[in-house]
Amino acid sequence: MNTDQQKIPQATAKRLPLYYRFLESLYATGKTRVSSTELSEAVKVDSATIRRDFSYFGALGKKGYGYNVQYLLSFFRTTLDQDEATDVVLLGVGNLGKALLRYNFSKNENTRIVAAFDINKDMVGEQIGNVPVYHTDDLAEKLEEHNVSVAMLTVPSAAAQTTGEKLVEAGISGILNFTPARLSVPTSVRVHHIDLAIELQTLVYFLKNYPLDSE
Ligand code: ATP
């Protein structure tokens, strides 16, 4: 991200890709404006939050008119650096790694996985979802070729720390960690953690303990 994003709270910044994706599909259908209620239903964020979020972008919706889709899109493109494609690598081509390679974020063509790495020699040389798999030993060399700053980590937990260190050494500054292990990395490296098992458990817990009111 760039420009004035210092002024945008982190919670708002996290919702930007969500808004962006929805607005892009709206634009593709030829819609020129959207109300906060419509947006709210589509992205499942309440409309007061959307209005507050958008006020940070200087996008003030007009009553009875809504927001200008094109204005919002161009704002998000600049803020999210969507005009510039971001290349990502993936480490650990197991079940989860393969699924992510096949998914390859095709809904957002500005982020793409350009290379995958594994220690398993049987995997090396394969192409999964059009992404070539290399040996982890070639990490530094391949990263130079691609100018990558973000990596996804889908190795076994026991290998997470050493792999994370290798990534940092190779100049990676952002890691999306899918392993349950907590990584210890320099403060200049941003780690976002996605533990699918915990997410699922939390949802089950909330369903049991905080049932939503049915309307
Ligand atoms: P999952 O379903 O969690 O993706 P899996 O059961 O298919 O995993 P794991 O044992 O979790 O397999 O390993 C994931 C992948 O990570 C495997 O392909 C394995 O060869 C690879 N791997 C293991 N250690 C390393 C490492 N140090 N560096 C890179 N890849 C590794």
Side-chain angles (χ1 to χ4, degrees):
M1 291 197 207
N2 61 18
T3 64
D4 299 332
Q5 96 253 197
Q6 276 92 333
K7 284 189 254 151
I8 301 174
Q10 284 202 20
T12 300
K14 271 195 161 175
R15 287 188 284 270
L16 294 192
L18 198 68
Y19 297 143
Y20 179 76
R21 201 150 86 184
F22 176 69
L23 288 165
E24 234 190 0
S25 54
L26 263 193
Y27 187 68
T29 66
K31 268 201 95 167
T32 54
R33 50 191 171 145
V34 63
S35 70
S36 49
T37 318
E38 272 175 282
L39 259 168
S40 169
E41 275 162 21
V43 299
K44 305 282 180 262
V45 173
D46 69 274
S47 51
T49 303
I50 291 181
R51 281 195 291 274
R52 198 181 52 239
D53 283 352
F54 283 18
S55 68
Y56 293 114
F57 323 144
L60 302 168
K62 292 193 204 100
K63 248 200 167 1
Y65 178 88
Y67 296 96
N68 182 313
V69 173
Q70 206 169 358
Y71 169 82
L72 284 173
L73 272 179
S74 65
F75 176 87
F76 289 151
R77 253 186 223 120
T78 327
T79 310
L80 293 165
D81 277 344
Q82 293 288 326
D83 286 335
E84 220 177 278
T86 305
D87 290 347
V88 177
V89 293
L90 180 139
L91 271 90
V93 190
N95 289 315
L96 184 57
K98 282 193 187 106
L100 290 168
L101 291 175
R102 292 199 177 102
Y103 179 67
N104 210 356
F105 309 93
S106 46
K107 285 182 196 141
N108 176 356
E109 63 204 27
N110 294 96
T111 318
R112 57 167 185 252
I113 307 177
V114 291
F117 298 87
D118 205 289
I119 48 165
N120 179 351
K121 294 208 169 69
D122 294 340
M123 290 303 310
V124 174
E126 295 283 312
Q127 289 252 347
I128 295 167
N130 283 329
V131 180
V133 181
Y134 302 108
H135 197 279
T136 335
D137 289 347
D138 299 331
L139 183 69
E141 182 193 323
K142 295 290 169 196
L143 283 186
E144 266 174 37
E145 274 172 31
H146 284 291
N147 186 25
V148 175
S149 57
V150 175
M152 297 166 100
L153 200 55
T154 47
V155 296
S157 299
Q161 181 61 35
T162 50
T163 317
E165 283 165 16
K166 266 192 205 153
L167 285 168
V168 173
E169 239 168 73
I172 287 288
S173 50
I175 300 176
L176 194 56
N177 177 17
F178 283 87
T179 81
R182 297 282 152 175
L183 298 181
S184 159
V185 292
T187 47
S188 56
V189 177
R190 185 179 269 277
V191 180
H192 283 200
H193 198 250
I194 300 184
D195 189 326
L196 294 174
I198 288 188
E199 293 293 333
L200 207 52
Q201 263 172 18
T202 312
L203 176 63
V204 171
Y205 176 84
F206 270 79
L207 281 180
K208 274 192 197 141
N209 295 285
Y210 303 94
L212 295 173
D213 296 334
S214 50
E215 278 164 33

